[in-house]
Amino acid sequence: MQDWDGLRTAFEVVRHGTVSGAAQALGVHHATVIRHIDALEARLGVKLFQRHARGYTPTEAGEDLARVAQATDDQFAQLSARLSGQGSAVQGELVVTTLASFTRRLMPVLAEFQAEHPSVTLVYRTGPRIFRLEYGEAHVAIRAGSPPKELDNVVQELATLKTALYAAPSYVERRGMPTEADLVTHDFVGADDEQTRAPGLRWMSANIPRDRVVFRAIDDLSLYEALRAGVGLGFSPVAEAGPDLVQVLPPRDEWSAKLWLVTHVDLHRTAKVQALTQHLKASLKDCE
């Protein structure tokens, strides 16, 4: 295929829905986008888009082309990540992904690493979705729960997060200090998803009436902030609970969560990934 520019242009038009959006993404004039699309349609002998006042809508042929272009784009991203990880120097961009709630514990560790390796640019990614190592979206992942199962990943046990039940001082002042015997009379903050994999939240679903979970969220950072605000009782890793929380019940094994250090097999042995994973294991081995 000789018309790589046309394919890339068509892909961006599908993604953005407008010629101007595609032009901005590609860094070209909108007239160039139109010229590429017209030339590609003429070459293929098929209409790829329906033109209308609000933009370009892909035809069935355009959608087929976009799927192929997306797969090619993903493969190039993966190749780029592999190539960027080559070399013996600890330098360049290094992408780390983890749970947002782990930031408080992890950030000092990353700061130490960057101070030791000033030629490294750290990119820190958190979010509701899992950033995929095989597509080059991250070099190193720290994940909680069951060990990841992806075949191309190298998975190492990093630490065990001991977890306890906490309340904010404002909650204790308002409702009194909870005891294990009267837990079901208290308010809780918990998962909106009853299929959550977090051990403490699973325990809550099994042992606390649903109507006592007065605040629910899908992300652990929101739950932690609700706990600190005194909305109700909630779980926190011991290492994450600051002086602004009161421990209601001590840690239990059934509430603990495993942390896993995950890298892609193609990048696992590169200098910068090895340097970071060794630093993380040394710094977090006593993490609770």
Side-chain angles (χ1 to χ4, degrees), residues 40-56:
L40 183 61
E41 289 182 330
R43 181 183 181 85
L44 297 175
V46 64
K47 282 291 183 183
L48 299 173
F49 297 95
Q50 294 291 339
R51 281 79 163 167
H52 52 80
R54 290 175 296 175
Y56 277 33

Side-chain angles (χ1 to χ4, degrees), residues 121-157:
T121 298
L122 284 173
V123 178
Y124 190 67
R125 290 178 176 166
T126 62
R129 72 178 181 89
I130 294 178
F131 290 93
R132 300 176 65 176
L133 303 181
E134 65 270 27
Y135 285 165
E137 293 180 331
H139 295 96
V140 176
I142 300 173
R143 295 179 180 161
S146 302
K149 302 292 187 183
E150 293 88 349
L151 295 178
D152 290 335
N153 287 344
V154 178
V155 179
Q156 304 173 74
E157 186 173 333

Side-chain angles (χ1 to χ4, degrees), residues 205-283:
S205 295
N207 292 276
I208 302 300
R210 186 68 170 166
D211 61 358
R212 300 312 310 168
V213 184
V214 299
F215 182 92
R216 303 168 192 160
I218 61 172
D219 67 283
D220 47 358
L221 188 59
S222 296
L223 292 177
Y224 183 76
E225 291 303 321
L227 170 61
R228 290 181 62 236
V231 176
L233 311 184
F235 286 101
S236 171
V238 175
E240 298 298 306
D244 54 347
L245 291 178
V246 178
Q247 191 174 107
V248 174
L249 294 178
R252 296 180 181 177
D253 288 343
E254 63 181 314
W255 298 340
S256 296
K258 293 284 188 183
L259 286 181
W260 305 95
L261 187 59
V262 189
T263 54
H264 193 272
V265 65
D266 291 334
L267 297 178
H268 177 68
R269 292 294 178 189
T270 57
K272 63 184 179 183
V273 169
Q274 280 291 300
L276 179 58
T277 56
Q278 290 171 15
H279 181 77
L280 290 171
K281 287 189 285 187
S283 301

Side-chain angles (χ1 to χ4, degrees), residues 4-84:
W4 291 110
D5 287 340
L7 284 173
R8 180 64 179 175
T9 301
F11 178 45
E12 292 297 339
V13 172
V14 172
R15 289 179 62 187
H16 295 278
T18 63
V19 168
S20 59
Q24 184 175 2
L26 294 167
V28 299
H29 194 272
H30 72 275
T32 303
V33 173
I34 295 172
R35 186 171 65 252
H36 284 175
I37 295 299
D38 290 344
L40 183 61
E41 289 182 330
R43 181 183 181 85
L44 297 175
V46 64
K47 282 291 183 183
L48 299 173
F49 297 95
Q50 294 291 339
R51 281 79 163 167
H52 52 80
R54 290 175 296 175
Y56 277 33
T57 300
T59 62
E60 185 175 350
E63 291 175 348
D64 285 342
L65 180 143
R67 281 191 288 269
V68 173
Q70 179 68 68
T72 303
D73 192 62
D74 289 343
Q75 290 172 346
F76 273 116
Q78 184 177 357
L79 175 61
S80 176
R82 292 177 185 176
L83 295 177
S84 65

